[in-house]
Amino acid sequence: MTMRERAQRYSAAQRRVIDAALDLFAEQGVGGTSLQMIADAIGVTKAAIYYQFRTKEEIVIAVAEVELQRLEVALEAAEAEGSSAEARDTLLRRVVEVAVERRGAVRTIQSDPVIIRFLAEHEPFQQLIVRLFTVLVGDNPGPAARVRAAVLTAAIGGAVAHPFVTDLDDETLKAELLRVTRRLVLLPG
Amino acid sequence: MTMRERAQRYSAAQRRVIDAALDLFAEQGVGGTSLQMIADAIGVTKAAIYYQFRTKEEIVIAVAEVELQRLEVALEAAEAEGSSAEARDTLLRRVVEVAVERRGAVRTIQSDPVIIRFLAEHEPFQQLIVRLFTVLVGDNPGPAARVRAAVLTAAIGGAVAHPFVTDLDDETLKAELLRVTRRLVLLPG
DNA sequence: GTCTATAGAATGATAGAC
DNA sequence: GTCTATCATTCTATAGAC
C-alpha cells in the first residue's frame, strides 16, 4: 500500500486528532506531547482519542503519513516525466511548493527524533525515500551526489521553518528557495 | 557573558551529565528523555543529577551551550578577519568542520522542538545568531540573502546527520560539503 | 557528593456506562 | 462515539541520612 492510499483511509474524527497532534508535535515535540494535551486541544477526553487510535505510536505514524502523502503526489508527477533533467526540475518545483505551503509540518516530520525513528522502521516511507533519491541523483550515486542530495533535502526542509524567513510570504519564499536549490541540483557531479 | 564563558563553568561531574544527556536527546528527543534515563546512563541516582542541575531545563540549556561554544570559537576566528569575502569563507570552513565532527549533536541542537524553544528565549544564543548572520550576509539583508542564509545553516546542520551520508568518513564529508555550500554563499544577490 | 525514601502530579492505557 | 473512573507506572522534584 502506498503512503497516499494509507493516508486516505483516515476518518474525519481521526483527521481532527491528526491535525491537533501535528500542531502540538511542532511546539512540544512528540515526546513532550501527551494524549491528554491532544484531547484538550480538540475538546474531548483521552478515552475518545483511544477510540480513534489504539496507541500514541499510531497517531505519530498517521501524522507522518498525511504529510508525506503530499510529497508522494509531487514525486508521482515527476516520475511520470521519466528520469530526465526536466523530471528532476519538476520534482524540485513541486517539493518546494509543498514544503513552503506546509512550513510548520515539514520541519517537524523531518527533524523530530521520535518521528525519525518511527519512519526509519516504516516500510512505505523507506520506499518513498528510495524513489525520491532515484529521481534526484540516479541509481547508484557516489559521495559527491549523496552529499548533494542530503544538502538538498535538509536545505528545503530546514529553511522553510527558519526564523530568518518566517515573515516572508509563500510566493517570495517559493521563488527564492527554488532559485537557490536549482543551483544545487545543477551542480556538476 | 558569552556562550564560551558559560560553557567553561561546568564541572567534570556536570560534564558527565551533559554528555549522557546529549546522547539521549539525540535518540529520544528532549521530551522523551527523563532524568531517570540520564541517571541510569551515568550509573548514579536521580538525586545525584539534581545535585548538579536544579531542573531538567538547566540541563537542556547546558547541553546547548557546550555545543554552541564550538560554533562561537569558529565565529570569532572569522570575525578577526573583518567582514570580507575571506572572512565568510573562513567561517564556512570552520562551521563545516565543527558540524561534521559533531554530526550527531548538531542535528539535535538545531532541530529538537524543545531545544529550539529554549534557545529562542536565551539571550546569549540570540546574540550568537546575529553575529553569525552578519558575517554571512551582512547587516540588513533582503529576502534573497535571508533565504540563502537559512538554506545554508539548514543545509549544513541537516546534511551532516542525514542517512545518506552516515557511512562517509569525516574528511570526505567535509570536503564535499564545503564544496557544495561554497557555491551557495557565492551565489549572486 | 551520593544515597534512600517519598510526595504529588501526570502518563499511557483499559473497562464499562450511556 | 464519547463519557467517567480507574489501573499501574513513571515523572519531576524534595528531604534528610551518610
Side-chain angles (χ1 to χ4, degrees):
Chain A
M1 199 177 344
T2 69
M3 195 86 60
R4 185 159 47 82
E5 287 162 350
R6 298 176 69 92
Q8 284 166 351
R9 289 183 313 168
Y10 296 114
S11 68
Q14 285 176 317
R15 287 277 177 171
R16 280 193 290 274
V17 175
I18 291 169
D19 288 346
L22 177 59
D23 286 345
L24 288 163
F25 290 169
E27 288 167 32
Q28 323 275 351
V30 174
T33 301
S34 68
L35 296 178
Q36 185 66 244
M37 288 163 138
I38 297 172
D40 289 348
I42 310 177
V44 299
T45 64
K46 227 177 1 170
I49 305 290
Y50 272 102
Y51 179 78
Q52 305 296 344
F53 295 94
R54 277 173 47 199
T55 63
K56 184 181 176 181
E57 186 168 326
E58 279 190 14
I59 299 176
V60 174
I61 291 172
V63 165
E65 275 174 349
V66 168
E67 286 307 318
L68 291 173
Q69 169 209 193
R70 300 170 202 268
L71 185 61
E72 189 169 47
V73 172
L75 183 58
E76 280 165 1
E79 286 172 337
E81 298 188 31
S83 60
S84 57
E86 287 83 40
R88 264 206 307 280
D89 197 66
T90 297
L91 178 59
L92 191 61
R93 205 174 55 247
R94 297 275 207 132
V95 168
V96 167
E97 281 170 11
V98 169
V100 170
E101 278 158 19
R102 303 289 305 169
R103 298 189 198 195
V106 168
R107 181 166 209 172
T108 304
I109 300 296
Q110 202 172 341
S111 68
D112 190 289
V114 181
I115 295 186
I116 289 174
R117 286 195 118 195
F118 280 173
L119 288 184
E121 302 157 5
H122 193 59
E123 181 73 26
F125 170 70
Q126 290 172 34
Q127 290 172 5
L128 188 66
I129 293 297
V130 170
R131 285 165 63 193
L132 191 67
F133 279 96
T134 301
V135 175
L136 276 182
V137 293
D139 255 338
N140 190 19
R146 277 155 61 196
V147 170
R148 233 187 318 139
V151 165
L152 190 63
T153 55
I156 295 173
V160 292
H162 200 285
F164 247 57
V165 300
T166 38
D167 59 334
L168 295 183
D169 63 277
D170 279 12
E171 289 314 309
T172 304
L173 182 54
K174 273 183 206 169
E176 289 300 333
L177 193 53
L178 189 55
R179 212 162 61 86
V180 174
T181 50
R182 263 195 184 130
R183 304 269 190 133
L184 279 177
V185 177
L186 299 176
L187 280 178
Chain B
M1 197 177 352
T2 69
M3 196 86 60
R4 187 160 44 84
E5 287 162 350
R6 297 177 69 92
Q8 283 165 352
R9 290 182 312 167
Y10 297 114
S11 69
Q14 285 176 316
R15 288 276 177 171
R16 282 192 288 273
V17 175
I18 291 169
D19 289 345
L22 178 58
D23 286 345
L24 288 163
F25 290 170
E27 288 167 33
Q28 323 277 349
V30 175
T33 301
S34 69
L35 297 180
Q36 185 68 67
M37 289 163 135
I38 298 173
D40 290 347
I42 310 176
V44 299
T45 62
K46 229 178 353 177
I49 304 290
Y50 272 102
Y51 178 80
Q52 304 296 346
F53 295 94
R54 279 173 48 201
T55 63
K56 183 180 176 181
E57 185 167 330
E58 278 190 16
I59 299 176
V60 174
I61 290 172
V63 166
E65 274 173 349
V66 167
E67 286 307 317
L68 290 172
Q69 170 210 195
R70 300 170 201 266
L71 184 60
E72 189 169 46
V73 172
L75 183 58
E76 279 165 3
E79 286 171 336
E81 297 189 33
S83 59
S84 57
E86 287 82 40
R88 263 206 306 279
D89 198 65
T90 297
L91 178 59
L92 192 59
R93 207 175 52 248
R94 297 274 208 131
V95 168
V96 167
E97 281 169 12
V98 169
V100 170
E101 278 158 20
R102 303 290 303 169
R103 298 188 199 195
V106 167
R107 180 165 212 175
T108 303
I109 301 297
Q110 203 173 336
S111 68
D112 191 288
V114 180
I115 296 186
I116 289 175
R117 284 195 120 196
F118 281 172
L119 289 183
E121 302 157 4
H122 193 58
E123 182 73 25
F125 170 71
Q126 290 171 35
Q127 290 170 6
L128 188 66
I129 291 298
V130 170
R131 285 165 63 196
L132 191 67
F133 278 97
T134 302
V135 174
L136 276 181
V137 293
D139 256 339
N140 189 19
R146 279 156 60 198
V147 171
R148 234 186 318 139
V151 165
L152 190 62
T153 56
I156 295 172
V160 291
H162 200 284
F164 246 57
V165 300
T166 38
D167 59 335
L168 295 183
D169 63 278
D170 279 13
E171 290 314 310
T172 304
L173 182 54
K174 273 183 205 169
E176 289 299 332
L177 193 52
L178 189 56
R179 213 161 61 86
V180 174
T181 51
R182 260 193 185 130
R183 305 268 189 130
L184 278 177
V185 178
L186 299 176
L187 281 177

